[in-house]
């Protein structure tokens, strides 16, 4: 028995080289061709924002997921990195220094690292609530500085620069969004790869150990405090890189990049995606950016829906979206995932329809309360109707109730199928 | 450092929590390669003594020397780096990490990886092999890739001992390694302890007199924060003071 176990181990290790590279190769291909699929300028703008958010969320998860440190003020490391990059842009332009734009994010990273080193030197002494409160305080402090130290933060209107400052880099002037996209995509891949590798180093592994049981780690020769400090510095570095990319993409940074709203949303994004897996924050960043950009065009209430999604995730799926995906791995490995398809369609589809019905009700109430008097007509799901007449209300209530009723009715079937799909054949259960 | 230097020397160690004096001047010398058991009734301060030696609590007075080096004021991780490793009365592992990872983490410092961020741990054949060897020794090879929190209680205790000795410390302190175990599990852990502490100094707190008399070369009896007797098992067993204070009752309870 132990022989087969170790043989399996070797086989896995031997085959892992190619297996480990696959996600990265797929990512490179996707990043390379996606601008040819979504060619519009707005799509590329969304993708740029997405990529920047991914870098930031991954950096944040080095603390939250891997180090077990809950920070309420992480936006400042991204923000300070970004502010610094805008200043460098302007400085280089004024003095015509030979600094090509593509290396600029590195400086953002170094300034993020510098600030994290200073703050981390006292904030990482304790984990848990003490760390969270210090991060909150420092975050607020630096955000408040932005209106006080106007020379650096530019006061209320922020600081702006021009990314086309220097000589063309191999003929590229970064005038077009698409050129910026490929620059950001390159940094995204590089940062994600480095962060992934970091999690596989001794200090990265010990970050996990300290997260799980700091006391035990101390009795293995590691100072929990220093392990936390190094995680904090590394996280600050990559957050600074995200800031540098932000500076290049938007050419302006303001107080909004530092404040608690920004710090809060990166926490939300990371948690939504799932802190337990390396790729969790990537999913979170993609979903959140899509909701933020696409959904916000459709409805003014998008934040309500994002909030509801977040609460539902925290309550029912603490592993986040990545956790939901990985829950299915045992069934897929046993080749029994097919058993789940029909039950899923029978429960999830009515749940979606019911939720859309509920959303329609909320939208209609919002329209009645907030539209100008006399404006009784509204359009929802490509249908125009009078929000003050009874029929649409009846339809919406009917759809909502039926959707949720069907979900409830079919839920036991899904449970049975789930149990069946996760039971090894032949074992008594 | 000569052979004459004891592995651990404790001089007049004291600890008070507020007004309550828990450890009242413990003197103890433990030679190299000795297997030393500390026994005593509940609340005698055995675990506190362990926590003082390993730097988990600061002491109120007295000195602890490890191979002649004073440990006063050192943090647990510094003491560990000097070659002292301990297990805990309550299982203290990394429950969300795999069994293999648990062991590998316990090897990192002693193999000189320190706070490195330029090595990839899975690429180090030396680490993988060493961790697998430990797993083999503690008989958990089959559980290698399971999260440690999913192991049975006895397996978690075995893992705890594995983590404790993996780093190669030459002074091993085990706090009630067989607490809460069945007879067969106790035998398994006893064999394991005997095996992994070969040529090392072992200090353990234990309630099971079978384990104590089966393993220990020397026994110290701690009662109300003081050591009332130290010696070979047979001497301690015959000591009337010990009989009166503790052992009589404990031995009766055994039978």
């Amino acid at each position: 028995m132990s022989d087969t176990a170790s043989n399996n181990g070797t086989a896995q290790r031997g085959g892992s080289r190619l297996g480990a590279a696959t996600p990265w190769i797929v990512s490179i291909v996707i990043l390379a061709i996606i601008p040819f699929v979504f060619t519009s300028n707005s799509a590329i703008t969304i993708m740029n924002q997405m990529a920047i958010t991914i870098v930031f969320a991954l950096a944040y998860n080095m603390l939250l997921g891997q180090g077990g440190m809950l920070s309420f003020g992480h936006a400042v490391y991204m923000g300070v990195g970004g502010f610094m990059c805008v200043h460098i842009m302007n400085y280089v332009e004024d003095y015509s220094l030979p600094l090509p734009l593509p290396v600029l994010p590195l400086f953002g990273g170094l300034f993020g690292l510098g600030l994290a080193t200073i703050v981390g030197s006292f904030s990482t002494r304790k984990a848990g609530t003490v760390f969270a409160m210090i991060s909150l305080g420092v975050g607020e402090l630096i955000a408040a500085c932005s209106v006080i130290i106007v020379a650096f933060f530019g006061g209320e209107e922020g600081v702006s620069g021009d990314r086309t400052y220097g000589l063309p880099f191999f003929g590229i002037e970064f005038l077009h969004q698409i050129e910026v996209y490929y620059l950001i995509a390159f940094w995204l891949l590089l940062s994600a790869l480095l962060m992934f590798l970091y999690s596989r180093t001794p200090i990265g592994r010990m970050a996990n150990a300290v997260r799980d049981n700091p006391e035990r780690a101390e009795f293995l020769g590691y100072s929990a405090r220093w392990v936390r400090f190094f995680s904090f510095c590394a996280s600050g570095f990559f957050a600074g890189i995200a800031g540098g990319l932000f500076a290049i993409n938007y050419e302006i940074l303001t107080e909004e990049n530092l404040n608690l709203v920004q710090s809060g949303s990166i926490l939300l994004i990371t948690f939504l995606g799932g802190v337990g897996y390396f790729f969790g924050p990537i999913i979170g960043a993609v979903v959140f950016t899509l909701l933020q950009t696409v959904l916000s065009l459709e409805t003014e209430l998008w934040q309500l829906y994002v909030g509801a999604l977040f609460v539902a995730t925290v309550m029912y799926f603490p592993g986040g979206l990545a956790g939901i995906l990985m829950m299915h791995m045992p069934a897929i490995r046993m080749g029994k995932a097919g058993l789940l398809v029909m039950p899923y369609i029978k429960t999830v589809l009515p749940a979606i329809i019911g939720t859309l019905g509920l959303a329609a009700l909320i939208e209609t109430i919002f329209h009645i309360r907030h539209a100008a008097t006399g404006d009784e007509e509204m359009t929802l799901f490509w249908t125009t109707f009078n929000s003050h007449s009874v029929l649409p209300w009846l339809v919406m209530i009917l759809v909502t109730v039926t959707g949720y009723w069907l979900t409830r009715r079919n839920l036991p079937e899904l449970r049975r199928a789930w149990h069946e799909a996760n039971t090894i054949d032949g074992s008594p259960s | 450092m000569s052979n004459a230097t004891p592995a651990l020397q404790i001089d007049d160690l004291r600890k008070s929590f507020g007004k309550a004096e828990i450890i009242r001047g413990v003197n103890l010398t433990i030679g190299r390669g000795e297997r030393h058991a500390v026994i005593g009734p509940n609340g005698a301060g055995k675990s506190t003594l362990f926590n003082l030696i390993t730097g988990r609590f600061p002491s109120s007075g007295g000195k602890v020397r490890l191979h002649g080096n004073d440990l006063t004021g050192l943090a647990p991780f510094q003491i560990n780096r000097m070659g002292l490793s301990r297990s805990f009365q309550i299982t203290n592992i990394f429950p969300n990490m795999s069994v293999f990872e648990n062991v590998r983490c316990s090897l990192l410092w002693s193999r000189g990886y320190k706070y490195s961020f330029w090595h990839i741990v899975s690429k180090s054949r030396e680490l993988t092999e060493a961790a697998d060897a430990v797993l083999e020794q503690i008989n958990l090879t089959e559980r290698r890739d399971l999260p440690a929190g999913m192991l049975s209680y006895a397996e978690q205790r075995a893992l705890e001992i594995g983590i404790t000795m993996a780093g190669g410390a030459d002074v091993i302190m085990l706090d009630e390694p067989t607490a809460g175990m069945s007879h067969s599990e106790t035998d398994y852990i006893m064999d394991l302890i005997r095996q992994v502490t070969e040529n090392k100094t072992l200090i353990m707190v234990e309630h099971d007199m079978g384990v104590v008399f089966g393993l220990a070369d020397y026994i110290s009896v701690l009662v109300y924060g003081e050591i009332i007797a130290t010696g070979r098992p047979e001497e301690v067993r015959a000591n009337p003071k010990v009989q009166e204070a503790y052992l009589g009752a404990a031995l009766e309870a055994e039978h």
Side-chain angles (χ1 to χ4, degrees), chain A residues 414-425:
Chain A
L414 176 63
R415 277 208 196 95
R416 271 197 303 279
W418 180 258
H419 182 74
E420 172 65 25
N422 284 284
T423 311
I424 299 160
D425 282 321

Side-chain angles (χ1 to χ4, degrees), chain A residues 42 45-46 49-50 286-298 302:
Chain A
S42 63
T45 307
I46 292 174
Q49 191 182 339
M50 217 179 254
V286 170
V287 170
F288 183 84
T289 313
L290 281 178
L291 290 174
Q292 191 183 24
T293 50
V294 179
L295 191 64
S296 69
L297 292 179
E298 301 295 323
W302 71 276

Side-chain angles (χ1 to χ4, degrees), chain A residues 215 218-219 221, chain B residues 54-56 74-81 84:
Chain A
E215 183 171 52
E218 291 252 328
F219 286 98
Chain B
T54 55
R56 200 181 184 197
L74 294 185
F77 65 90
Q78 291 165 315
I79 295 174
N80 179 272
R81 290 173 196 173
L84 184 148

Side-chain angles (χ1 to χ4, degrees), chain A residues 92-300:
Chain A
V92 169
E93 190 175 20
D94 292 346
Y95 296 91
S96 343
L97 301 174
L99 182 78
L101 187 76
V103 299
L104 195 60
L106 181 65
F107 289 89
L110 290 176
F111 279 96
L113 173 67
L115 183 62
T117 310
I118 297 166
V119 176
S121 67
F122 58 86
S123 75
T124 56
R125 230 169 266 174
K126 289 268 185 301
T129 317
V130 177
F131 172 82
M133 290 305 111
I134 294 177
S135 73
L136 181 67
V138 170
E140 188 69 327
L141 187 83
I142 294 177
C145 280
S146 64
V147 284
I148 300 165
I149 310 174
V150 180
F152 183 77
F153 293 107
E156 275 178 11
E157 66 261 42
V159 291
S160 53
D162 178 5
R163 65 173 172 243
T164 60
Y165 60 77
L167 298 169
F169 181 74
F170 292 114
I172 303 166
E173 285 188 274
F174 299 103
L175 274 170
H176 304 289
Q177 278 287 51
I178 187 74
E179 293 163 349
V180 177
Y181 168 80
Y182 280 111
L183 175 63
I184 293 176
F186 166 77
W187 276 99
L188 165 63
L189 275 169
L190 183 68
S191 320
L193 182 66
L194 287 176
M195 281 187 261
F196 178 76
L197 291 177
Y198 180 90
S199 73
R200 295 297 180 261
T201 60
I203 182 77
R205 301 320 300 157
M206 286 316 292
N208 281 184
V210 167
R211 169 199 68 195
D212 278 9
N213 194 342
E215 183 171 52
R216 195 61 169 116
E218 291 252 328
F219 286 98
L220 296 177
Y222 279 88
S223 156
R225 186 253 170 112
W226 285 110
V227 171
R228 283 195 287 266
F229 174 72
F230 288 124
S231 299
F232 193 76
C233 292
S235 176
F237 176 73
F238 289 106
I241 286 184
L245 295 174
F246 189 96
I248 291 174
N249 190 38
Y250 293 96
E251 299 177 300
I252 180 167
L253 271 106
T254 63
E255 190 264 344
E256 272 180 33
N257 298 107
L258 299 165
N259 64 19
L260 291 178
V261 177
Q262 190 70 12
S263 296
S265 50
I266 201 64
L267 168 61
L268 190 146
I269 289 167
T270 310
F271 209 94
L272 181 68
V275 296
Y277 298 95
F278 180 80
F279 64 91
I282 300 176
I283 301 178
V286 170
V287 170
F288 183 84
T289 313
L290 281 178
L291 290 174
Q292 191 183 24
T293 50
V294 179
L295 191 64
S296 69
L297 292 179
E298 301 295 323
T299 162
E300 287 174 62

Side-chain angles (χ1 to χ4, degrees), chain B residues 20-74:
Chain B
E21 213 178 7
I22 304 298
I23 299 291
R24 329 176 182 202
V26 165
N27 291 288
L28 190 61
T29 304
I30 294 166
R32 285 193 184 196
E34 226 177 271
R35 285 202 277 239
H36 202 115
V38 179
I39 62 173
N42 284 328
K46 302 183 295 290
S47 285
T48 308
L49 179 64
F50 260 45
N51 291 334
L52 293 178
I53 296 172
T54 55
R56 200 181 184 197
F57 303 155
S59 63
S60 313
K63 270 199 179 0
V64 179
R65 290 194 188 82
L66 178 69
H67 303 307
N69 303 312
D70 190 359
L71 300 184
T72 311
L74 294 185

